[in-house]
Amino acid sequence: MRVPLSWLREYVDLPATETGRDVQAKLVSAGLEVETVEQLGAGLTGPLVVGRVLTIEELTEFKKPIRFCTVDVGAANGTGEPQEIICGARNFAEGDKVVVALPGAVLPGDFRIAERKTYGKVSRGMICSGDELGMGDDGSHGIIVLPPEYEVGIDATELLELYDEVLDIAVTPDRGYCLSMRGIAREVATAYGLPLRDPALLDVPAPNSYGYLVKVSDPIGCDRFTARTVVGLDPEARSPIWLQRRLQKAGMRPIGLAVDITNYVMLELGQPLHAYDRTRLDGPITVRRAEPGEKLTTLDGTVRVLDPADLLITDNRGPIGLAGVMGGANTEIADAVTDPETGEVRGTTEVVIEAAHFDAISIARTARRHKLSSEASKRFERGVDPQAAAAAAQRTVDLLVLLAGGTAEAGVTEVLAPSAPRAITMPADHPDRVAGVAYGRETVVRRLQEVGCDVSGQDELVVTAPSWRPDLTEPNDLAEEVIRLEGYENLPSTLPKPPAGRGLTERQRTHRRVGRALAGAGYVEALNYPFIGKEILDRLDIPADDPCRQVVTLVNPLSDEEPALRTTLLPGLLAALRRNDGRGSHDLALFETGLVFRAAGEPGVAVRLPVDRRPTDEEIAGVNAVLPRQPRHAAVVLAGAREQAGWWGGGRPSDWADAVEAARTVAREAGAELIVRQGQYGPWHPGRCAELAVVVDGEERVVGHAGELHPRVIKALHLPARTCAMELDLDTVERASAGAVRAPRISAFPVATQDVALVVDRQVPSAEVGRALREGAGELLESIRLFDVFEGEQIGEGRKSLAYALRFRAADRTLTVEEASAARDAAVAVAAERTGAVLRGA
């Protein structure tokens, strides 16, 4: 809402020294957001005067039409002689009154006016347009042509009100009354403690039975409709300069007198109005809902197919307006047109004025349905004062009579639906308890009365909200009014004192440990959207009967290409790896921990939980029952070099073993023992895939896979060669934990190292051999490490040699060679029994 300060002073006697910045500070303190204070006329200096065009000489020898004019500016130029001016505009004629900038004037933008020779003539000044003076668009797109009654030579800056300050206020949806000069003036009067001259306090004649006939068939959508008629209007009457300038300063373009007046009254009182050409109306005005298939051509020239929920203004022929949004083209006010044969001026001479109150929700839905936001709909959907309709209609009638020479007919139509005032009961100390400040009953009552409320009662106040404040519906709304008028800046600054928390849960701590461990191992976390397309599962070679294929599809996805919730973390991670590789980062190690979504049987419909109380355990359980399972997974992807080459060595590319080690890192941080064995699953290479499992409640469960991706998958997803990946179910791994991870106890006794080389069949996984060695070695084994794999003729066809380093240590003594050797022999015996391993060289 743009609020000219000069207009505001008509309703509030502000001190003469108060500037727009001062008023801005007061309104901001009262809770209104004043975005800017625009200084109109900044940089403009005279002389700027009214002139009369005496002669016009057309200069035709140039590429564009040029006019050499002589203009009478009276004594403003010091000589009284006509002023010679070159001008390219063509919307004025000899005898017209125009605005002239004489040499020495400075126009907005530091445009200085001086005598200069151009087009073979000397131009001594400039004939000005509205844009050149910073006035905005007046609809002419040309020179300002003034009414003939203004005297030549007078100061045009005062005539055109070029110097002013305009406050641009961002009005929130709950403060619709501030979309009017009346509402802003009320706030300013309250902020300064000054009386308000309410422009809505007018003598309005009582409704009678001989006004224009109006029928309201939907009293819910329209609870008030006022109609007034004015006849005998002068079709040639123009909006006076003061009216045009106020509209321009408020951000509206002058159109014609009747429309300008309705816009002016809307800005003044906040009540949208509409004027119909009575000669174009057929029968009574009716307010009703649209019928299927009806159409309406609105004032913007668009043919709109109406919805049955649209509220309409109609006559006997059909729709003539979209109620509260925009009028129809078939009853609009006609422009004045001169008959070329008779010279008679024809135009609208009789108007019917509509001032109605429509349902805010209905208007908001109609405006959005038709993508048609208007000044009227903006106000109706935020709440309009229903009591202002009659005053707005009367104000419009008065201005039409005054400015267009019309006559107001005696008929007054007013259709009302019964309604009761809104009474709110509130403890007198409620604002005190909300703000934490002792305002006292007298302050609470005074502030509520200042916003227009009627207040009665002592300890328990009964507050009747004013008609222009539909946002006041409960005690907290009233408390907000008291607090904002007393000043938000006066509220004490008190730091909240929340109760002591219990810290992170064990599950949260585990997830954080996993993330820190992977980051410490050189992985970079990538956070991806949890949406996938079903075709990505085909590219990953996921089996048709795999649970990952049972996706949960969104009703309103962000993208039609990714309408489902992810069942695996790999699509997002692999897309991130591909994107970074395409941008030149070829050595990549990414990880993500996040939820995946698994459909839980038949889809169900969740009940709507209450918001006025805590839902019961049964209600929460009912919602959870229809939600998909959401286990947390951890995944990594690798490509390029795992260890960089340099002076320290040749480096090493990432491979399947790094993916397996990432899984071991996750399990270690979760406190679980991970079982690694050869496997085969969807995206992974069948010969380089490890199956990951843990033991939960005595039962072994597969929790994921790790290794190198299948070449077919790498090609389908355009990934770097030999890309590796790992994904496991972190929640299940956590359930396999023996409890909180305990810090290891470090022994001060020396370690005893025993190396052992075992020969096994080539198909036997090294992990299975290592697991057998660990179990056979017993409690003295501190660690086991595979340090060599050898295949060759010395071993035999189809055989391989696995060399392990076993570290033994006791917590209470130094081990003897015999004890270490016995533990090693026990480990070899178990490995031989389970895997068929034999000592190399035996």
Side-chain angles (χ1 to χ4, degrees):
M1 176 71 187
R2 290 172 57 85
V3 179
L5 190 60
S6 59
W7 193 356
L8 188 64
R9 291 181 183 274
E10 285 196 3
Y11 313 119
V12 184
D13 289 327
L14 292 171
T17 56
E18 287 295 289
T19 66
R21 295 291 183 188
D22 298 327
V23 177
Q24 177 190 28
K26 289 284 189 179
L27 291 178
V28 169
S29 178
L32 289 177
E33 184 181 350
V34 184
E35 293 187 329
T36 60
V37 178
E38 183 179 349
Q39 303 289 332
L40 299 186
L44 173 66
T45 59
L48 197 71
V49 300
V50 175
R52 182 169 63 87
V53 180
L54 300 177
T55 63
I56 299 176
E57 178 186 351
E58 301 288 347
L59 306 180
T60 58
E61 63 270 27
F62 302 100
K63 291 183 179 180
K64 62 179 182 178
I66 296 297
R67 301 169 124 191
F68 180 64
C69 311
T70 58
V71 184
D72 178 14
V73 294
N77 58 2
T79 65
E81 296 295 323
Q83 201 80 3
E84 297 176 339
I85 300 175
I86 291 289
C87 184
R90 311 193 65 79
N91 67 312
F92 64 96
E94 293 181 357
D96 283 345
K97 297 286 181 68
V98 293
V99 178
V100 179
L102 297 176
V106 180
L107 303 187
D110 198 28
F111 185 72
R112 299 179 180 275
I113 307 300
E115 290 188 9
R116 61 192 181 96
K117 187 172 183 179
T118 180
Y119 296 102
K121 303 284 186 179
V122 177
S123 180
R124 298 178 171 85
M126 188 171 94
I127 302 175
C128 300
S129 68
D131 287 337
E132 290 164 339
L133 298 179
M135 295 171 55
D137 182 19
D138 61 357
S140 68
H141 302 289
I143 295 302
I144 301 171
V145 179
L146 301 172
E149 62 266 20
Y150 292 107
E151 183 182 347
V152 168
I154 64 173
D155 186 0
T157 58
E158 294 185 5
L159 174 66
L160 299 177
E161 302 177 16
L162 296 180
Y163 297 112
D164 203 349
E165 294 181 277
V166 178
L167 286 74
D168 194 351
I169 302 174
V171 179
T172 54
D174 61 331
R175 306 286 286 277
Y177 68 98
C178 287
L179 288 172
S180 67
M181 295 300 302
R182 180 194 184 201
I184 297 297
R186 187 182 306 278
E187 291 294 323
V188 171
T190 302
Y192 279 91
L194 297 172
L196 169 71
R197 288 188 290 275
D198 191 345
L201 296 180
L202 301 174
D203 291 330
V204 179
N208 49 57
S209 59
Y210 42 92
Y212 198 93
L213 185 59
V214 174
K215 299 177 181 179
V216 177
S217 62
D218 190 340
I220 302 297
C222 176
D223 58 5
R224 182 182 294 262
F225 196 108
T226 300
R228 300 288 299 275
T229 305
V230 181
V231 298
L233 300 176
D234 179 6
E236 291 187 284
R238 297 175 53 187
S239 299
I241 290 177
W242 66 265
L243 178 58
Q244 294 186 46
R245 289 296 293 136
R246 286 192 171 178
L247 291 176
Q248 288 176 322
K249 292 176 185 179
M252 302 189 75
R253 181 171 60 88
I255 298 173
L257 181 59
V259 176
D260 290 349
I261 288 175
T262 58
N263 286 337
Y264 176 83
V265 175
M266 177 185 68
L267 292 172
E268 184 178 50
L269 301 181
Q271 169 66 52
L273 301 114
H274 191 71
Y276 300 95
D277 187 329
R278 189 166 77 164
T279 62
R280 297 186 177 187
L281 290 173
D282 182 8
I285 293 175
T286 302
V287 183
R288 61 171 174 83
R289 298 288 174 176
E291 297 175 358
E294 278 192 298
K295 296 182 179 180
L296 169 67
T297 302
T298 47
L299 288 173
D300 58 0
T302 302
V303 178
R304 304 185 183 276
V305 179
L306 304 176
D307 187 274
D310 293 335
L311 194 64
L312 299 180
I313 310 296
T314 67
D315 63 6
N316 289 339
R317 293 172 298 179
I320 60 174
L322 204 54
V325 180
M326 185 174 285
N330 53 349
T331 58
E332 70 175 320
I333 303 299
D335 296 330
V337 179
T338 303
D339 191 317
E341 296 181 359
T342 64
E344 179 185 0
V345 178
R346 298 175 182 173
T348 298
T349 59
E350 301 178 5
V351 299
V352 175
I353 300 161
E354 165 206 308
H357 184 262
F358 300 112
D359 176 61
I361 295 177
S362 175
I363 300 305
R365 289 175 176 170
T366 297
R368 284 155 180 75
R369 188 180 299 119
H370 294 280
K371 297 180 175 61
L372 184 61
S373 179
S374 63
E375 292 292 333
S377 68
K378 187 194 308 182
R379 286 165 172 79
F380 276 124
E381 64 189 35
R382 285 166 173 78
V384 168
D385 181 6
Q387 303 293 336
Q394 182 62 45
R395 177 70 164 142
T396 305
V397 168
D398 293 343
L399 289 172
L400 284 171
V401 171
L402 176 66
L403 302 178
T407 301
E409 289 193 347
V412 177
T413 302
E414 192 164 43
V415 180
L416 299 176
S419 61
R422 292 172 287 111
I424 306 167
T425 302
M426 178 186 74
D429 63 346
H430 183 67
D432 301 13
R433 289 187 280 112
V434 171
V437 177
Y439 292 123
R441 180 187 178 280
E442 291 185 3
T443 299
V444 171
V445 171
R446 174 171 57 84
R447 289 303 191 184
L448 292 177
Q449 289 174 340
E450 286 177 354
V451 300
C453 296
D454 291 331
V455 186
S456 61
Q458 292 298 318
D459 294 338
E460 196 79 11
L461 301 180
V462 179
V463 182
T464 303
S467 58
W468 59 85
R469 293 299 302 272
D471 58 304
L472 302 182
T473 59
E474 59 175 347
N476 284 338
D477 297 331
L478 302 178
E480 181 185 2
E481 293 300 300
V482 175
I483 295 168
R484 75 176 182 87
L485 293 179
E486 283 295 305
Y488 290 119
E489 68 277 8
N490 295 324
L491 292 176
S493 298
T494 305
L495 293 176
K497 297 179 181 178
R502 302 178 186 177
L504 299 177
T505 65
E506 184 59 33
R507 184 169 185 259
Q508 291 170 327
R509 281 195 287 268
T510 299
H511 295 163
R512 293 198 179 186
R513 283 200 309 271
V514 167
R516 283 195 295 266
L518 290 174
Y523 291 87
V524 176
E525 186 172 18
L527 301 177
N528 300 294
Y529 286 118
F531 310 115
I532 62 170
K534 294 181 181 179
E535 66 280 356
I536 191 63
L537 301 177
D538 297 328
R539 297 181 186 178
L540 289 174
D541 279 352
I542 302 295
D545 58 348
D546 194 277
C548 284
R549 290 281 189 174
Q550 300 175 9
V551 299
V552 178
T553 303
L554 300 174
V555 176
N556 55 342
L558 294 179
S559 170
D560 292 335
E561 296 180 356
E562 296 180 331
L565 292 172
R566 67 188 179 191
T567 56
T568 168
L569 299 180
L570 290 183
L573 274 176
L574 293 174
L577 184 140
R578 180 179 63 248
R579 185 164 52 252
N580 283 276
D581 181 71
R583 294 175 180 174
S585 299
H586 304 301
D587 302 325
L588 296 163
L590 308 178
F591 85 92
E592 180 177 12
T593 61
L595 302 180
V596 299
F597 304 85
R598 301 291 176 85
E602 291 296 325
V605 178
V607 298
R608 187 181 296 274
L609 295 179
V611 295
D612 57 343
R613 59 174 174 82
R614 182 192 180 280
T616 64
D617 294 340
E618 291 75 14
E619 290 171 330
I620 296 175
V623 172
N624 290 333
V626 298
L627 293 178
R629 291 192 305 108
Q630 301 175 46
R632 181 173 291 272
H633 279 204
V636 304
V637 293
L638 304 100
R642 184 67 176 133
E643 296 177 3
Q644 295 292 331
W647 59 265
W648 52 84
R652 180 179 65 81
S654 57
D655 60 19
W656 62 269
D658 295 304
V660 174
E661 182 58 29
R664 288 196 174 100
T665 299
V666 172
R668 191 162 48 247
E669 294 299 326
E673 182 177 352
L674 191 67
I675 301 172
V676 180
R677 56 175 174 251
Q678 186 173 2
Q680 183 173 343
Y681 180 71
W684 281 276
H685 191 296
R688 299 175 186 141
C689 174
E691 184 178 80
L692 312 174
V694 294
V695 177
V696 179
D697 298 330
E699 180 183 353
E700 187 177 293
R701 297 183 54 179
V702 176
V703 292
H705 296 82
E708 183 180 315
L709 294 182
H710 198 291
R712 185 168 54 246
V713 173
I714 290 175
K715 181 179 179 181
L717 297 180
H718 307 288
L719 299 172
R722 310 298 292 268
T723 297
C724 299
M726 179 279 294
E727 181 173 10
L728 53 74
D729 185 340
L730 187 55
D731 284 352
T732 304
V733 172
E734 186 181 359
R735 288 172 54 196
S737 169
V741 178
R742 296 182 178 275
R745 180 177 178 182
I746 299 178
S747 173
F749 294 95
V751 65
T753 302
Q754 295 278 345
D755 293 343
V756 60
L758 301 176
V759 179
V760 296
D761 288 341
R762 184 180 298 170
Q763 291 77 17
V764 176
S766 61
E768 187 175 341
V769 177
R771 185 162 54 251
L773 289 172
R774 182 181 295 277
E775 292 182 12
E779 296 181 355
L780 295 178
L781 181 66
E782 182 178 80
S783 67
I784 181 172
R785 178 175 63 89
L786 174 67
F787 66 86
D788 184 58
V789 178
F790 177 75
E791 296 180 12
E793 296 179 359
Q794 301 91 327
I795 305 302
E797 184 69 24
R799 306 280 281 175
K800 63 182 176 182
S801 172
L802 305 176
Y804 293 88
L806 285 69
R807 290 167 57 92
F808 298 96
R809 194 194 314 254
D812 56 350
R813 67 188 187 281
T814 299
L815 292 176
T816 64
V817 174
E818 291 76 13
E819 287 177 311
S821 298
R824 181 201 61 187
D825 294 342
V828 171
V830 173
E833 178 185 350
R834 293 189 181 179
T835 67
V838 296
L839 282 171
R840 183 175 175 181

